[in-house]
Amino acid sequence: MHTQDIFKSDNSKGLLSIYYTAGYPNLDSTIAIAKKLESAGADFLEIGFPYSDPIADGPVIQHSSEVALRNGMTLQCLFQQLQDLRSHVSIPVFLMGYFNTVLQYGVENFCKSCQAVGVNGAIIPDLPIYEYEELYQDTFKQYGINNIFLVTPQTSEERIRKIDNLSHSFIYLLSSNATTGKNLEVGAQAEQYFQRLKDMDLKNPLVIGFGISDRETFRKATTYAKGAIIGSAFVRVLSDDDYMNKIESFIKGIKT
Amino acid sequence: MSKYHVNKKGYYGPFGGAYIPEMLYPNVEELQQKYMEIMQEESFQQEFQELLKDYVGRPSPLYLAKRLSARYGANIFLKREDLNHTGAHKINNTIGQILLAERLGKKRIIAETGAGQHGVATATVCALKGLECVVYMGEIDIQRQAPNVARMKMMGATVVAAQSGSKTLKDATNEALRDWINNPIDTHYIIGSVVGPHPYPDLVARFQSIISEETKRQLTEKTGNSLPDYVLACVGGGSNAAGMFYHFLEDEQVKLIAVEAAGHGIKSGESAATTALGKEGVLHGSRSILMQTEDGQVTEPYSISAGLDYPGIGPQHAWLYKSGRGKYVSITDDEAMQAGLLLTKLEGIIPAIESSHALAYLEKMTFQGNENVVICLSGRGDKDLDNYMKYFGF
């Protein structure tokens, strides 16, 4: 199956995606963690590239970014590590990070490097729709890199439709308007909003993120969406000295 | 139309825009949609002007500094923003934004602060309006600026220590943005400089434009000509300069000089001279010139003046610099301290160290008799006494 097909297939559901920061806890742990996640049952990955000023992130991911930067992680270093990505990992991989690092690397260079190593797309929270459309969409398309957009409970229907038209992979649905790593209760209000999105019958599948941390929140989210993303809760696992041995049980604890 | 010719999307040439995550979009869009309309309402203007007059003490004097003028061989006028309530130009903006927040129906105010001047100006207007106020301040700055922390607390504000990153202004701004993300409905973020996503750079410049509006009038009264030969202001983020330049932008014969902080020297590795050391980048929601590593990590600036200690500049400044309309120069800690002491001795005015940077540039200029120079004296030096004492050993 082509890596991207899991988002299109009607058969796939309950997809689990895991976010982690490249270069954390060790500079060279990126590929080892990816392999372990795939074998443990994760369905796709988001690998974060660190930035000094991550305004959308809470303390856990901020800390992982600081450590990664101290370890020497850069986009250049990350692409080097990912050179043989596709001989180790077959599930879809997205890169996630802030726009300034991409801008300095060069947007076209970034897309080219993503294509070269087999990365499927990018999530750049502070690259807004207008700037993407005006300045960068053609470049992303040229290299076949999917840009993933976020939708929050406050995003208007008109804007969601627009995002749906610009998207070619999935839409990243935020469970609430918040920074990452909040302990969110997926309550009646959130469920109402998930239902509203589900009823819009968008062409792209929805994947819910922010506040998904355990089996219960994952189950709830995936009754409304094709998948859900766990970030901070997993990054916390990586802070354990014995993290390589904890990854499998963490994933199994969510999925079964 | 803004004199900075900002377009509808918040761009000044290639700079500006609103590089924000979707979580901030509703807040920022609401501001984009409504700020012009609200600012043009008669009731807004009436209340704004009244507060500027009766509460802030405007118009601030334009003072011909005779002894300073004699020393440099030009007519040097000081725009006395240091005489405003709370001691700096910052209050012009916070008064405007609190009225805006009120009209947007917001109940809670957040702000970032470096040295504490903008934090104090924000806490002040929150006390004035009885609104909840949370100020983010780097943990290191809280230790360095105890009197301003006390002022904010006396006025009822909660001061929250920013403990991320380098624990200074840039991180306080990050924390304020995170707070805004997590409180999208009832909170207004009062940014203290011409930075942040559109419409902030425009909004703050408009509120600060009162500085040059008054200056033109006052210059006409004093010299018969509304246009000076030079206008000087210091630039950290750039709000006093944005206001000081505003009404002179279209008068091409007026030379605009923006003075950045070189810290220990541009090449010392301890500097805040953004245009000299930075390159194009995105920080805190706008595209501008930014001090950063090759990999795009924002670097920590240094200046003896906490108010100039910011790694970026407002997008309109990036554009004035790039287009050549403004001249961007820098002054070291030592030069600024000497200029501060000189003004104190010659005129009996102790300037904020920020403003001392603008004054110091006079040393590097040559005048051709009788030229008129306006310098924005953006703040008073009371807050810097500690630094002056340490530096000169008084």
Side-chain angles (χ1 to χ4, degrees):
Chain A
M1 185 158 83
H2 188 271
T3 49
Q4 287 273 80
D5 290 349
I6 58 166
F7 300 110
K8 302 205 173 79
S9 160
D10 287 336
N11 297 325
S12 59
K13 56 184 177 193
L15 298 180
L16 172 62
S17 175
I18 296 291
Y19 167 92
Y20 66 99
T21 307
Y24 177 81
N26 308 108
L27 181 63
D28 53 4
S29 47
T30 315
I31 286 285
I33 293 171
K35 278 164 72 175
K36 194 84 181 175
L37 282 169
E38 176 165 19
S39 70
D43 297 294
F44 62 104
L45 304 178
E46 278 136 59
I47 302 178
F49 46 96
Y51 178 47
S52 53
D53 296 81
I55 58 167
D57 286 304
V60 174
I61 294 178
Q62 280 174 45
H63 174 73
S64 69
S65 303
E66 276 175 39
V67 173
L69 288 174
R70 269 206 303 275
N71 286 342
M73 181 49 70
T74 64
L75 259 180
Q76 198 146 12
C77 169
L78 178 60
F79 281 121
Q80 254 158 29
Q81 292 182 350
L82 296 180
Q83 232 166 21
D84 300 320
L85 173 73
R86 287 305 172 203
S87 53
H88 299 293
V89 177
S90 60
I91 55 179
V93 172
F94 297 83
L95 297 189
M96 184 165 187
Y98 291 82
F99 184 57
N100 194 51
T101 35
V102 177
L103 190 64
Q104 302 314 318
Y105 189 81
V107 174
E108 178 162 11
N109 217 6
F110 175 81
C111 291
K112 205 189 264 180
S113 296
C114 283
Q115 187 191 47
V117 301
V119 160
N120 304 85
I123 307 167
I124 306 170
D126 60 341
L127 174 58
I129 298 177
Y130 171 76
E131 278 73 13
Y132 172 72
E133 262 193 301
E134 286 289 307
L135 304 171
Y136 304 115
Q137 181 172 226
D138 294 344
T139 309
F140 275 71
K141 277 191 173 157
Q142 187 190 335
Y143 294 96
I145 302 305
N146 294 299
N147 187 32
I148 309 298
F149 294 97
L150 310 183
V151 162
T152 80
Q154 267 80 42
T155 309
S156 69
E157 174 162 353
E158 187 192 350
R159 197 166 159 86
I160 294 170
R161 297 272 175 216
K162 179 163 191 156
I163 286 171
D164 194 35
N165 279 327
L166 287 172
S167 300
H168 302 282
S169 189
F170 67 90
I171 292 174
Y172 194 140
L173 202 60
L174 266 60
S175 61
S176 75
N177 215 88
T179 43
T180 57
K182 294 256 158 186
N183 265 333
L184 299 168
E185 194 188 327
V186 181
Q189 221 178 351
E191 293 201 47
Q192 232 171 42
Y193 147 68
F194 295 158
Q195 187 64 47
R196 173 166 68 88
L197 266 287
K198 195 176 175 188
D199 292 345
M200 281 179 71
D201 206 15
L202 303 170
K203 72 182 171 64
N204 289 279
L206 303 171
V207 176
I208 296 176
F210 286 40
I212 312 301
S213 60
D214 54 20
R215 187 182 173 141
E216 179 54 21
T217 41
F218 178 74
R219 191 194 57 76
K220 244 186 198 170
T222 48
T223 54
Y224 296 96
K226 195 158 200 96
I229 303 168
I230 296 181
S232 296
F234 180 73
V235 172
R236 228 175 272 127
V237 171
L238 297 181
S239 69
D240 191 305
D241 285 342
D242 190 28
Y243 64 91
M244 280 310 265
N245 291 316
K246 304 258 158 113
I247 291 175
E248 188 165 346
S249 60
F250 179 84
I251 301 297
K252 298 239 146 83
I254 307 277
K255 268 198 108 176
T256 46
Chain B
M1 180 83 191
S2 164
K3 303 260 185 216
Y4 282 101
H5 299 290
V6 60
N7 77 13
K8 237 178 38 212
K9 290 291 178 182
Y11 278 89
Y12 307 79
F15 303 113
Y19 290 80
I20 47 165
E22 186 67 22
M23 297 84 103
L24 280 177
Y25 183 81
N27 279 333
V28 169
E29 198 210 13
E30 183 185 29
L31 260 187
Q32 288 176 354
Q33 300 288 344
K34 296 182 180 162
Y35 81 108
M36 281 308 299
E37 193 186 319
I38 291 176
M39 282 171 71
Q40 282 162 357
E41 279 169 13
E42 210 183 297
S43 71
F44 179 96
Q45 276 305 324
Q46 204 175 355
E47 193 177 358
F48 183 51
Q49 297 303 337
E50 199 175 293
L51 283 170
L52 287 182
K53 178 165 174 278
D54 298 336
Y55 188 73
V56 176
R58 302 203 73 92
S60 67
L62 184 73
Y63 166 67
L64 174 61
K66 290 205 177 112
R67 298 188 66 205
L68 195 69
S69 299
R71 180 179 168 110
Y72 290 111
N75 305 314
I76 298 168
F77 294 88
L78 303 177
K79 181 59 175 163
R80 299 289 310 271
E81 294 300 299
D82 60 316
L83 294 177
N84 292 340
H85 179 43
T86 72
H89 69 290
K90 292 287 184 192
I91 190 101
N92 303 329
N93 169 45
T94 59
I95 292 271
Q97 285 207 46
I98 200 79
L99 299 181
L100 186 60
E102 241 184 354
R103 281 156 178 80
L104 290 168
K106 305 290 179 177
K107 304 280 179 247
R108 182 173 172 271
I109 301 297
I110 56 172
E112 86 294 339
T113 197
Q117 293 305 104
H118 173 59
V120 168
T122 303
T124 301
V125 296
C126 288
L128 180 70
K129 287 294 183 179
L131 290 177
E132 185 188 346
C133 180
V134 178
V135 178
Y136 289 90
M137 189 167 181
E139 199 176 34
I140 290 173
D141 290 331
I142 287 181
Q143 290 160 13
R144 290 194 291 206
Q145 308 287 341
N148 274 341
V149 176
R151 284 185 185 100
M152 290 186 263
K153 286 184 176 166
M154 281 179 75
M155 289 184 281
T158 306
V159 180
V160 180
Q163 295 174 334
S164 57
S166 53
K167 304 180 173 64
T168 57
L169 175 59
K170 154 178 104 71
D171 309 283
T173 308
N174 292 338
E175 288 301 334
L177 286 166
R178 288 179 189 124
D179 179 309
W180 211 21
I181 287 174
N182 288 304
N183 296 284
I185 313 284
D186 67 337
T187 298
H188 175 71
Y189 177 17
I190 300 190
I191 292 186
S193 193
V194 286
V195 300
H198 176 63
Y200 279 106
D202 185 43
L203 176 69
V204 176
R206 283 172 190 269
F207 287 138
Q208 294 294 1
S209 69
I210 184 79
I211 301 173
S212 47
E213 188 187 315
E214 288 174 2
T215 300
K216 270 194 155 171
R217 209 163 52 228
Q218 292 164 323
L219 265 183
T220 309
E221 283 166 18
K222 288 179 195 299
T223 69
N225 183 353
S226 67
L227 304 180
D229 298 285
Y230 295 95
V231 172
L232 277 77
C234 63
V235 172
S239 70
N240 90 79
M244 184 75 250
F245 294 167
Y246 197 94
H247 289 284
F248 295 111
L249 287 165
E250 287 161 355
D251 304 309
E252 300 273 338
Q253 66 270 46
V254 179
K255 298 176 199 75
L256 307 176
I257 300 179
V259 185
E260 297 181 327
H264 291 144
I266 286 176
K267 289 175 182 155
S268 68
E270 292 181 304
S271 178
T274 304
T275 54
L277 295 168
K279 53 185 173 162
E280 193 176 325
V282 171
L283 176 68
H284 297 144
S286 78
R287 194 164 179 144
S288 183
I289 297 174
L290 184 60
M291 288 170 58
Q292 54 187 316
T293 65
E294 211 163 287
D295 184 45
Q297 310 301 337
V298 181
T299 50
E300 192 55 28
Y302 163 81
S303 163
I304 192 167
S305 143
L308 302 182
D309 200 351
Y310 185 73
I313 47 171
Q316 60 270 73
H317 286 295
W319 183 229
L320 288 184
Y321 168 70
K322 195 164 180 186
S323 66
R325 175 65 187 94
K327 181 174 175 186
Y328 285 69
V329 298
S330 65
I331 283 295
T332 63
D333 285 1
D334 291 336
E335 292 166 333
M337 295 306 277
Q338 295 299 340
L341 186 62
L342 183 71
L343 185 74
T344 308
K345 293 215 189 270
L346 288 181
E347 300 287 347
I349 298 170
I350 304 178
I353 299 176
E354 289 80 6
S355 319
S356 298
H357 282 74
L359 292 162
Y361 194 68
L362 287 169
E363 288 282 342
K364 311 204 166 183
M365 297 171 72
T366 43
F367 297 105
Q368 298 156 350
N370 232 28
E371 287 183 306
N372 292 330
V373 180
V374 177
I375 299 182
C376 188
L377 201 67
S378 56
R380 69 177 82 130
D382 303 28
K383 69 178 176 63
D384 295 318
L385 271 190
D386 222 31
N387 261 326
Y388 279 124
M389 280 156 64
K390 268 185 214 143
Y391 188 87
F392 291 108
F394 290 125

